[in-house]
Amino acid sequence: MNYQFDWHLVMSGEYAQWLREGFVTTLEISAVSIVLAIFLGTVIAVFRLSKVKPLEWISMAYTEFFRNTPLLVQIFFWYFGSEAVLPTSVNEWLYAQDFEFWAGVISLTVYSSAFVAEEIRSGIFSIPKTQLEASRAAGLSFLQSMGYVILPQAFRIIIPPLISQCLNIIKNSSLVMTIGVAELTYMARQIESYTFHGFEAFTISTCLYIMISLVVSVCMNVYDKKVLRSMHY
Amino acid sequence: MNWDIVWNNFDYFLIGAYPEGPLGGLAMSILLALGGIFGAFWLGLLFGLMRLSRKKWIKWPAVVYIEIVRGTPLLMVIFWFYFLAPIVLGHTLPEATSALIAFIVFTGAYIAEIVRAGVLALPKGQTEAARGTGLSHFQTMVHIILPQSLRNMIPSFVNQFVSLTKDTSLAYIIGVNELTRTATQVNNRTLIAPTEIFITIAVLYFIICYVLTATSRRLERQLAKYQARGN
């Protein structure tokens, strides 16, 4: 093994700046995708539980299809083929923005919302059925009972699995490097090809990813102890 | 729509340039997934049992391995093995081999957690009774605990196999000619039918993964009938 370590190279100056920018981009694209995926996932889960058959089918087909195809293929699909599936006005708006970034956001959102929807559905199922019946009997509509009674309770239970989905989104965001979004993995790869000091760049970016996941899992344990133990289902 | 491009290249998507050239396409993806899950099973079993050990010097290496790998994106793990093999070994590995090693190491950590959860889910009385009849810790594991818990883990293994099948698409990035790469190659060559090409690829992955997911759901229902469970 005759490899000269040069930690100084990636710890300071231009390359450190690259890694910082990449890290920020990773956090940005993950944050936007997480918010959108939770929103879309909730809609899909409520569709699935509504008694309207076509909505149920749409939601089922949606989750099955997007869960069972690779994220990378979906990224390529949205990046290369969005013209054929999105309305022209949406496409024009996307091209005017940072197109790579938003194609990445769309793919991460659509892919993850299918998983999020499944988590939310199982959370809703764990709320006793009588809750829905009681709120319907009290005169609330289906959407009102969902919004005021079921979802607020369900979300407290779903938070741990939901957070691990969020961690998945953060890790999965590394795939958008393939369409040229300059996030953390992209930058590490870039430093490797510029300097041949991949070892240092990959070490630092791996540590950053692990740091995020450790911080989140510590917070989750605290939540588990404080909130979930006090609930009785 | 331009589906001709898809049909003209369909056998390329399925088996690559084989038999004139190297095997690729869907066949390569399936080979990677099969090899990956086979290797990851043994690695995961080993580390899962290590993780359960009372001895600190056995337990902690497993904890470190599992936490590091589960906190790292698969793409990063692939790069680690791809760029580091030359530094450590002094020569490059074939892309497919280094991707396979990355898949095994990555999936192994998830399998280890499945094994741990499966063993912990068995009633404690099983271990106590086995130890009480005079079996050693190792014998208890091999003859009493694992045969029961492995059966209960089968659905989780299938799910892990599904995600690995999807994850084989990442081998594209280091140049393994699997299904996703054949698609981008055809797309780069033709440039007029991206939507059709990627829909076809997505459907091919979907068929395999959906069949597996449905199988795992059926298994889960069947196994639930005779499951021994702890509290």
Side-chain angles (χ1 to χ4, degrees):
Chain A
M1 189 165 156
N2 44 15
Y3 182 79
Q4 297 295 316
F5 291 98
D6 186 359
W7 292 97
H8 186 72
L9 182 80
V10 286
M11 296 291 243
S12 61
E14 190 191 10
Y15 297 124
Q17 179 63 26
W18 284 11
L19 286 177
R20 255 198 306 277
E21 280 167 15
F23 187 56
V24 171
T25 310
T26 290
L27 294 180
E28 273 171 5
I29 199 166
S30 313
V32 179
S33 310
I34 284 170
V35 172
L36 293 176
I38 289 177
F39 176 74
L40 192 58
T42 313
V43 174
I44 298 293
V46 172
F47 268 23
R48 184 79 177 264
L49 294 167
S50 75
K51 286 278 161 334
V52 190
K53 281 283 166 204
L55 289 185
E56 234 185 296
W57 290 331
I58 291 175
S59 137
M60 226 160 84
Y62 180 94
T63 34
E64 291 301 340
F65 186 75
F66 289 111
R67 257 159 42 109
N68 285 316
T69 40
L71 175 57
L72 188 60
V73 175
Q74 293 185 29
I75 290 177
F76 287 146
F77 174 78
W78 292 110
Y79 184 63
F80 292 112
S82 75
E83 247 168 276
V85 283
L86 293 178
T88 324
S89 55
V90 176
N91 267 311
E92 275 166 7
W93 183 83
L94 283 177
Y95 290 137
Q97 318 297 315
D98 184 352
F99 179 62
E100 282 76 18
F101 184 88
W102 287 101
V105 167
I106 293 177
S107 350
L108 281 169
T109 302
V110 171
Y111 178 78
S112 319
S113 66
F115 291 88
V116 169
E118 289 290 278
E119 300 294 355
I120 293 179
R121 191 169 68 102
S122 67
I124 295 176
F125 267 131
S126 67
I127 304 293
K129 240 192 150 173
T130 45
Q131 295 277 335
L132 182 64
E133 287 163 3
S135 52
R136 292 305 297 273
L140 297 181
S141 71
F142 175 76
L143 280 184
Q144 283 174 326
S145 352
M146 274 291 161
Y148 296 122
V149 182
I150 308 295
L151 285 179
Q153 299 185 70
F155 261 99
R156 257 186 294 176
I157 303 178
I158 313 164
I159 281 182
L162 209 53
I163 287 183
S164 70
Q165 287 304 332
C166 296
L167 280 180
N168 280 340
I169 295 182
I170 296 173
K171 287 187 281 173
N172 283 336
S173 73
S174 59
L175 298 197
V176 297
M177 69 162 281
T178 50
I179 54 171
V181 181
E183 45 71 65
L184 189 55
T185 311
Y186 179 94
M187 289 302 197
R189 175 81 177 77
Q190 199 77 344
I191 293 174
E192 204 280 337
S193 45
Y194 272 62
T195 64
F196 293 108
H197 279 280
F199 190 92
E200 293 86 337
F202 288 136
T203 305
I204 290 175
S205 34
T206 304
C207 287
L208 286 172
Y209 281 115
I210 292 171
M211 196 188 71
I212 299 176
S213 98
L214 284 182
V215 168
V216 173
S217 62
V218 167
C219 297
M220 218 157 73
N221 284 338
V222 174
Y223 177 86
D224 256 354
K225 284 206 180 88
K226 290 238 158 100
V227 181
L228 286 188
R229 294 283 151 79
S230 65
M231 294 172 67
H232 308 285
Y233 283 112
Chain B
M1 290 305 230
N2 207 327
W3 291 97
D4 286 352
I5 289 176
V6 169
W7 302 128
N8 293 340
N9 291 290
F10 204 69
D11 54 341
Y12 188 61
F13 291 150
L14 291 183
I15 51 171
Y18 195 77
E20 284 85 36
L23 189 69
L26 186 62
M28 184 55 143
S29 302
I30 293 174
L31 276 184
L32 280 175
L34 284 174
I37 203 76
F38 178 79
F41 172 77
W42 294 107
L43 193 70
L45 192 61
L46 175 70
F47 277 96
L49 294 179
M50 280 169 68
R51 175 79 176 73
L52 285 164
S53 168
R54 292 249 173 78
K55 295 191 184 81
K56 283 214 164 82
W57 59 274
I58 298 184
K59 181 183 165 185
W60 278 101
V63 173
V64 170
Y65 160 71
I66 292 170
E67 291 301 321
I68 286 185
V69 170
R70 293 196 340 142
T72 315
L74 173 57
L75 188 51
M76 215 37 141
V77 180
I78 291 177
F79 280 144
W80 272 109
F81 284 97
Y82 185 61
F83 289 112
L84 292 189
I87 297 174
V88 176
L89 300 174
H91 59 88
T92 50
L93 285 174
E95 288 91 358
T97 312
S98 77
L100 186 63
I101 297 172
F103 290 142
I104 290 174
V105 169
F106 182 79
T107 310
Y110 290 83
I111 299 256
E113 285 292 277
I114 295 175
V115 169
R116 183 169 80 106
V119 170
L120 287 179
L122 273 195
K124 255 198 151 157
Q126 296 282 332
T127 316
E128 285 161 7
R131 296 304 297 270
T133 59
L135 296 181
S136 71
H137 177 76
F138 184 73
Q139 284 173 323
T140 309
M141 269 296 165
V142 173
H143 297 299
I144 311 289
I145 305 297
L146 282 181
Q148 296 185 69
S149 52
L150 280 178
R151 203 181 50 195
N152 295 341
M153 292 174 213
I154 292 175
S156 313
F157 286 144
V158 178
N159 286 339
Q160 207 55 53
F161 187 48
V162 174
S163 28
L164 183 58
T165 309
K166 292 190 291 170
D167 285 342
T168 54
S169 61
L170 298 198
Y172 152 86
I173 287 158
I174 56 170
V176 181
N177 200 22
E178 42 66 67
L179 184 53
T180 309
R181 195 172 180 84
T182 56
T184 48
Q185 280 173 349
V186 173
N187 182 42
N188 290 344
R189 200 167 55 207
T190 56
L191 284 175
I192 47 168
T195 320
E196 293 85 338
I197 290 172
F198 287 110
I199 286 179
T200 310
I201 298 304
V203 168
L204 284 175
Y205 278 112
F206 175 78
I207 293 171
I208 293 177
C209 293
Y210 183 75
V211 169
L212 284 169
T213 323
T215 316
S216 112
R217 266 193 298 247
R218 269 190 57 192
L219 279 173
E220 225 160 314
R221 270 201 299 274
Q222 276 179 357
L223 290 170
K225 284 183 212 154
Y226 350 68
Q227 205 163 28
R229 259 186 233 171
N231 301 313

